[in-house]
């Protein structure tokens, strides 16, 4: 197969933990052709979506892990698969990219995850599609309503709808002397919608990342355990990743949510589960493959390529 990947700059990839790198390494091992591009390499001209694409070769070298050929112009239909693996933030440039990819898809390109589904499944707000797995949650920019919700719930987490890696996530309560300024800052004085969610104390046991591949859960989750004095389990915020088998509740959530996401065209998804609650559905560039594989020996990237080849 010829696989093209839209990703962040290659020089920024941390090969020891990056899931996109794990996918590329397994694809190369199987003899598939690899091609890379960045978000800014896409354009529409003459009614056709084109891209500036470079063929990638993985190199076993301590100083340089890849080599690339000169860029060439291709239609996205020239590839068997196009994988959208650009990291958030999910800003308007990301949205414009999904529009272009959707046009390429209409022309016959095979794109994962599906552009419309990436756009429709906000990684925070889409948990509301599955209310029985959602902790008490308010999504609003009304500051008085947010304060009333906090009074009702006692202790909450407030987070923006468009960030990643635990950025700008606050844990607060009515007793917090900074509560008003947190609410004002997060909502930009009532001009930005945020998510306020009851604090789930099981976070101390980890924020579990459950990977779904083509609707089916990987049998191991990566519990991201906060460092002492921290509420966020995100690895980017200093959390420690510990692989563990899926619990009964984890499987219930994954097996209920997975078929719906698969039907929408979401091939690789990362569910975030704290305690018994689904807290996020990551659809842009979910990670965790390498940590699970390193700790358990279960080759998640191979499972991904198996599923991709079956398509």
């Amino acid at each position: 197969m010829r696989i093209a990947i839209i990703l962040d700059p290659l020089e920024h990839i941390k090969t020891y933990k990056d899931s996109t790198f794990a996918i590329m390494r397994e694809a190369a091992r199987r003899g598939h052709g690899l091609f890379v591009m960045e978000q800014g390499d896409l354009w529409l001209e003459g009614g056709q979506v084109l891209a500036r694409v470079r063929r990638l070769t993985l190199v076993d070298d301590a100083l340089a892990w890849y080599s690339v050929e000169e860029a060439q112009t291709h239609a996205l239909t020239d590839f068997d698969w196009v994988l959208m693996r650009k990291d958030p933030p999910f800003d308007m440039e990301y949205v414009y990219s999904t529009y272009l990819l959707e046009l390429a898809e209409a022309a016959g390109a095979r794109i994962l995850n599906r552009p419309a589904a990436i756009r429709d499944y906000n990684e925070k707000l889409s948990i509301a599609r599955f209310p029985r797995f959602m902790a008490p949650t308010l999504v609003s920019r009304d500051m008085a309503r947010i304060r009333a919700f906090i009074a009702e719930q006692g202790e909450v987490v407030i987070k923006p709808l468009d960030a990643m890696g635990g950025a700008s996530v606050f844990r607060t309560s009515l007793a917090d002397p900074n509560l008003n300024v947190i609410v004002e800052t997060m909502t930009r004085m009532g001009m930005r919608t945020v998510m306020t969610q009851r604090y789930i104390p099981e976070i101390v046991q980890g924020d579990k990342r459950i990977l779904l591949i083509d609707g089916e859960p990987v049998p191991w989750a990566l519990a991201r355990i906060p460092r002492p004095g921290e509420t966020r389990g995100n690895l980017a915020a200093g959390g420690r990743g510990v692989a563990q088998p899926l619990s009964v509740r984890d499987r219930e959530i994954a097996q209920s949510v997975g078929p719906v996401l698969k039907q929408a065209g979401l091939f690789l998804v990362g569910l975030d589960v704290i305690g018994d609650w689904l807290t996020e559905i990551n659809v842009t560039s979910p990670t965790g493959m390498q940590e699970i594989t390193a700790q358990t020996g279960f080759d998640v990237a191979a499972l991904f390529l198996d599923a991709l080849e079956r398509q």
Side-chain angles (χ1 to χ4, degrees):
M1 295 190 298
R2 288 161 56 87
I3 302 173
I5 306 175
I6 304 167
L7 73 176
D8 291 295
L10 291 169
E11 59 270 22
H12 295 168
I13 289 179
K14 297 178 174 64
T15 57
Y16 64 92
K17 69 173 186 176
D18 191 276
S19 291
T20 303
F21 175 74
I23 291 169
M24 293 191 295
R25 182 175 56 196
E26 180 62 19
R29 189 188 69 80
R30 298 184 184 206
H32 300 309
L34 290 171
F35 302 81
V36 294
M37 69 190 93
E38 296 178 24
Q39 200 173 26
D41 291 325
L42 290 166
W43 78 92
L44 173 70
E45 185 175 359
Q48 186 178 29
V49 177
L50 302 170
R52 181 178 176 271
V53 181
R54 296 174 293 169
R55 189 179 185 101
L56 174 78
T57 301
L58 300 187
V59 179
D60 188 11
D61 188 304
L63 298 178
W65 61 269
Y66 67 89
S67 67
V68 288
E69 298 179 4
E70 287 294 320
Q72 296 185 353
T73 298
H74 282 276
L76 297 190
T77 51
D78 292 344
F79 304 99
D80 295 289
W81 287 107
V82 177
L83 306 183
M84 180 50 158
R85 292 286 300 171
K86 170 71 178 70
D87 280 345
F90 194 86
D91 53 16
M92 284 308 299
E93 283 300 317
Y94 210 124
V95 171
Y96 297 148
S97 294
T98 67
Y99 291 144
L100 293 176
L101 292 173
E102 195 171 17
L103 289 169
E105 185 180 51
R110 305 171 77 189
I111 299 169
L112 296 175
N113 288 327
R114 285 197 68 194
I118 292 176
R119 206 166 54 239
D120 290 347
Y121 276 76
N122 175 273
E123 297 193 324
K124 308 292 192 297
L125 191 52
S126 58
I127 62 172
R129 297 172 184 259
F130 309 97
R132 70 190 179 101
F133 299 128
M134 183 173 64
T137 298
L138 173 73
V139 176
S140 176
R141 65 182 189 179
D142 185 312
M143 292 189 290
R145 192 178 305 278
I146 292 170
R147 284 190 286 265
F149 180 80
I150 296 170
E152 177 185 319
Q153 297 300 323
E155 193 169 15
V156 302
V157 170
I158 304 179
K159 52 189 174 182
L161 296 176
D162 59 354
M164 65 169 288
S168 301
V169 175
F170 286 88
R171 173 184 170 186
T172 188
S173 69
L174 282 183
D176 189 340
N178 293 309
L179 174 62
N180 285 338
V181 72
I182 289 172
V183 173
E184 291 164 2
T185 300
M186 290 295 290
T187 65
R188 295 176 184 162
M189 298 301 293
M191 298 303 293
R192 180 175 74 166
T193 301
V194 297
M195 174 175 282
T196 309
Q197 196 166 59
R198 187 177 72 191
Y199 172 69
I200 306 170
E202 290 86 350
I203 182 61
V204 297
Q205 300 164 14
D207 180 354
K208 290 176 284 187
R209 166 60 55 83
I210 301 170
L211 292 173
L212 300 178
I213 296 175
D214 199 22
E216 295 293 329
V218 172
W220 296 85
L222 186 70
R224 296 158 300 168
I225 300 171
R227 63 186 179 185
E230 176 63 81
T231 298
R232 302 167 298 171
N234 309 76
L235 300 183
R240 175 171 57 92
V242 178
Q244 56 187 229
L246 299 188
S247 69
V248 172
R249 177 64 167 180
D250 295 340
R251 288 192 177 277
E252 179 189 4
I253 293 172
Q255 290 170 356
S256 298
V257 172
V260 179
L261 302 182
K262 176 180 178 176
Q263 182 66 31
L266 294 167
F267 188 82
L268 177 61
V269 177
L271 305 180
D272 287 351
V273 174
I274 303 174
D276 288 337
W277 306 106
L278 176 64
T279 60
E280 291 189 17
I281 299 176
N282 296 272
V283 302
T284 48
S285 58
T287 188
M289 286 186 180
Q290 292 213 56
E291 294 87 348
I292 291 172
T293 299
Q295 294 182 37
T296 69
F298 186 92
D299 196 332
V300 184
L303 187 69
F304 178 88
L305 263 296
D306 288 345
L308 195 66
E309 289 170 349
R310 284 196 300 271
Q311 297 290 319

